[in-house]
Amino acid sequence: MRTLLAAFAATTILAGAAQATTVYPLDRATILVGSPFDFKVELNKQVKPEDVKITVNGQDYKTVLGGEAQFVELEKGKEDKALGSALLLRGLKISAPGAYKVEVATGDESTSVTWNVFETAAQPKAKNIIFLLGDGLSVAHRTAARIMSKGMTEGKANGRLNMDDLDHMAFIGTSATNAVATDSANTMSAFMTGHKTAVNALGVYADRTPAPLDDPRVETLGEAVRRATKKSIGIVATSEVEDATPAAVVSHTRSRSDKADIVGMLLEVKPEVLLGGGSAYFLGKEVAGSKRKDNQDYIKLFQDAGYKLATDKNELAANASAEGNLLGLFHTGNMDVTLDREFQKAHPDTLIVVAGDHTHGVSIIGTVDDDKPGTEMREKVGTYAEAGFPNYKDENGDGYPDKVDVSRRLFLSANNGPDHYETFRPKLDGPFVPAVQNEKKEYVANEQYKDVPGAVFVQGNLPKSSESGVHAVDDVVLQSAGPGSEEFHGYMEQSDVYRVLADTFALGAKQTN
């Protein structure tokens, strides 16, 4: 199965690369009426401007799209490699719904794409939208949660999860434009823009240029809400606020790792509420713990923009009802989640197994949070060693486990990952790096774990050029309730979900709501 999947993904990527001319937005793109987007044509050879003919529904593109594209005589890729000419028109809008066929011809080569420009209801169907995303939440997770939280007797669940009783359900396809197996960036970006994109990309079509911040942009839901309504925006995450999922509400970059730049994009949109981790990217480089490469103090910039700052639960409670916007930064990195805060502290002698569909696959966890539990919860070093955690560290000798985050948990990949050595034990002596780059810039198994007793080499199913892991290929289940939820049914693409959100808020209507 792994071999077949890898071949399928590779075929998809190669098929895209072989296309003579690429047009962005891509074929079958769905575009909201009045929503700004960038139009780009990439040619596979150098040509003169007069040799390129572009029409939209048979008319000169300038008439329909309302502007003339900038002609780039020669775009260059990595290592100064010549790629071909290009045309780029930024920030255009289409005001009338319908099918738009874009045809590009140069010499004896031609290509065409068709866009579906859609309108929305004239009036909003709901006052508010609450979009909850369990990153990596699969059917298996839901089943496990129901069994663990409610129990089961004689084959029947003893209770139901709240999500079990939501009114409407749909299966959502998650694949990226360049691979069947996707990641958090592309998936959330598709939810938030209505456009599928490539692995690692947010709010852009991933073009061929090496710079990650110059790719053709599409409007995000956060920007659409700002443009078309007077509604407030809230982003609440347990991850870093610059991480792919929360960042997709506002961001434009081909690389989800551009976290310092994403902080600036958050400030541009100014969500009324922004809560999560990731303060390391708000701090100037001279501040201890900072991950920025400049001395820009974004905490001050947010405060200058009228934000109240909260760094713990007391400040959050004090500022929650205060005038102005709210910025809550509660960790330099990702915040501890419920598993860390509640279960491991309450049951430090219990081995907890959590299924996942990210690169990390299955995590086996055997440590507790920094906050020291009460006497009744204590477990000493010897108990942890006996439980199979020989690498457990207790540097200050107080008998409590030292801080352990997700990156130090056991890598037991059940899905898509790089070559690595499986050691069948937690990595508690530092961040776990399963694959590293070699001299050829290929990602290979980290030799650091090769000689660990019992280590087994596991061949990955990702290209050696892949810089990050991807999710499983399975559809995810979406459930919903409230006005507009009846539009969720059957099989849908993530870009279709955006269309329902836009329709619910009437983002394609002329009225301001």
Side-chain angles (χ1 to χ4, degrees):
M1 176 59 73
R2 286 187 174 183
T3 303
L4 177 61
L5 177 60
F8 189 16
T11 300
T12 303
I13 295 170
L14 291 173
Q19 188 173 354
T21 299
T22 301
V23 178
Y24 299 112
L26 297 170
D27 190 35
R28 298 187 293 166
T30 53
I31 302 171
L32 175 65
V33 161
S35 179
F37 66 95
D38 294 345
F39 169 61
K40 186 179 184 184
V41 176
E42 294 179 339
L43 303 169
N44 70 335
K45 59 186 178 181
Q46 187 173 358
V47 300
K48 297 178 180 179
E50 58 269 23
D51 294 334
V52 184
K53 180 181 180 181
I54 303 174
T55 61
V56 180
N57 289 348
Q59 302 181 64
D60 183 77
Y61 80 93
K62 294 188 287 291
T63 301
V64 181
L65 302 184
E68 183 171 2
Q70 173 192 359
F71 180 78
V72 181
E73 183 177 359
L74 183 62
E75 282 191 330
K76 293 185 178 181
K78 294 180 179 179
E79 300 176 353
D80 209 34
K81 180 181 178 181
L83 301 173
S85 301
L87 293 95
L88 178 63
L89 176 59
R90 294 195 182 273
L92 66 97
K93 301 178 183 179
I94 298 179
S95 58
Y100 288 76
K101 185 176 182 180
V102 181
E103 296 179 279
V104 180
T106 174
D108 57 354
E109 293 185 4
S110 64
T111 192
S112 66
V113 301
T114 299
W115 305 330
N116 176 19
V117 178
F118 67 93
E119 59 184 347
T120 67
Q123 296 294 332
K125 300 177 181 179
K127 181 179 180 180
N128 306 303
I129 293 176
I130 300 174
F131 193 95
L132 300 174
L133 189 139
D135 197 345
L137 179 64
S138 68
V139 173
H141 289 89
R142 294 158 60 104
T143 304
R146 190 182 304 107
I147 293 172
M148 294 297 292
S149 64
K150 306 300 181 182
M152 179 176 287
T153 303
E154 296 178 340
K156 290 187 176 182
N158 297 336
R160 303 171 68 87
L161 303 173
N162 288 334
M163 72 177 80
D164 290 336
D165 296 319
L166 293 175
D167 300 335
H168 298 276
M169 178 186 294
F171 284 97
I172 310 298
T174 62
S175 294
T177 57
N178 65 334
V180 176
T182 187
D183 79 320
S184 299
N186 161 71
T187 51
M188 188 60 170
S189 181
F191 279 137
M192 294 290 106
T193 67
H195 295 260
K196 292 275 189 149
T197 186
V199 171
N200 292 327
L202 295 164
V204 298
Y205 279 103
D207 69 9
R208 63 189 180 183
T209 61
L213 296 172
D214 69 353
D215 294 24
R217 294 188 172 195
V218 291
E219 185 180 48
T220 68
L221 183 63
E223 292 168 328
V225 168
R226 277 284 178 265
R227 171 180 58 82
T229 81
K230 296 180 180 179
K231 296 182 181 297
S232 298
I233 301 168
I235 302 173
V236 179
T238 55
S239 66
E240 298 169 321
V241 294
E242 316 89 358
D243 199 29
T245 301
V249 180
V250 303
S251 301
H252 303 279
T253 174
R254 188 170 75 246
S255 176
R256 57 184 286 177
S257 62
D258 288 335
K259 295 183 178 181
D261 296 293
I262 289 170
V263 172
M265 298 174 195
L266 286 164
L267 183 59
E268 287 179 16
V269 176
K270 295 182 177 63
E272 280 76 4
V273 174
L274 180 60
L275 305 177
S279 61
Y281 293 97
F282 284 72
L283 306 169
K285 67 178 182 179
E286 302 299 329
V287 179
S290 171
K291 291 185 178 181
R292 296 191 65 86
K293 296 181 180 180
D294 57 38
N295 273 315
Q296 192 69 266
D297 183 353
Y298 268 93
I299 289 181
K300 184 178 185 303
L301 290 175
F302 271 84
Q303 290 176 318
D304 290 345
Y307 280 79
K308 302 293 184 182
L309 176 65
T311 58
D312 58 35
K313 64 180 181 180
N314 294 325
E315 291 180 349
L316 178 61
N319 290 321
S321 59
E323 291 292 328
N325 297 344
L326 177 61
L327 172 65
L329 297 172
F330 307 106
H331 200 289
T332 54
N334 295 321
M335 295 173 61
D336 293 326
V337 294
T338 301
L339 178 68
D340 303 301
R341 296 194 313 269
E342 306 297 335
F343 291 94
Q344 294 193 84
K345 287 166 61 177
H347 308 284
D349 58 342
T350 300
L351 183 66
I352 304 171
V353 181
V354 181
D357 72 349
H358 291 64
T359 303
H360 286 283
V362 176
S363 297
I364 294 183
I365 304 132
T367 59
V368 300
D369 192 274
D370 273 339
D371 296 330
K372 302 300 186 281
T375 303
E376 72 281 0
M377 299 179 185
R378 294 185 181 182
E379 286 297 327
K380 299 297 183 179
V381 177
T383 303
Y384 274 83
E386 292 169 6
F389 304 117
N391 292 333
Y392 160 68
K393 300 292 184 181
D394 177 28
E395 295 179 354
N396 61 10
D398 66 353
Y400 292 104
D402 296 327
K403 173 72 175 177
V404 173
D405 59 24
V406 171
S407 64
R408 301 180 186 178
R409 294 174 181 166
L410 176 64
F411 184 97
L412 232 179
S413 179
N415 294 302
N416 304 294
D419 290 355
H420 64 279
Y421 289 97
E422 181 49 70
T423 62
F424 302 99
R425 67 187 67 190
K427 316 304 190 292
L428 305 182
D429 53 355
F432 176 43
V433 183
V436 295
Q437 279 191 316
N438 61 17
E439 65 280 358
K440 298 179 181 179
K441 301 298 183 181
E442 299 172 328
Y443 286 89
V444 297
N446 192 341
E447 296 287 321
Q448 174 183 345
Y449 308 105
K450 181 178 181 180
D451 296 324
V452 174
V456 175
F457 174 76
V458 178
Q459 183 175 356
N461 60 354
L462 294 177
K464 292 186 181 299
S465 60
S466 179
E467 64 179 354
S468 68
V470 292
H471 294 205
V473 182
D474 308 45
D475 298 342
V476 296
V477 176
L478 178 149
Q479 287 184 269
S480 62
S485 62
E486 68 280 355
E487 296 187 48
F488 293 115
H489 55 83
Y491 174 81
M492 303 175 69
E493 299 289 350
Q494 289 167 310
S495 47
D496 300 328
V497 174
Y498 174 85
R499 187 165 181 166
V500 177
L501 301 179
D503 190 57
T504 300
F505 265 0
L507 296 180
K510 294 182 179 180
Q511 295 92 330
T512 300
N513 45 71

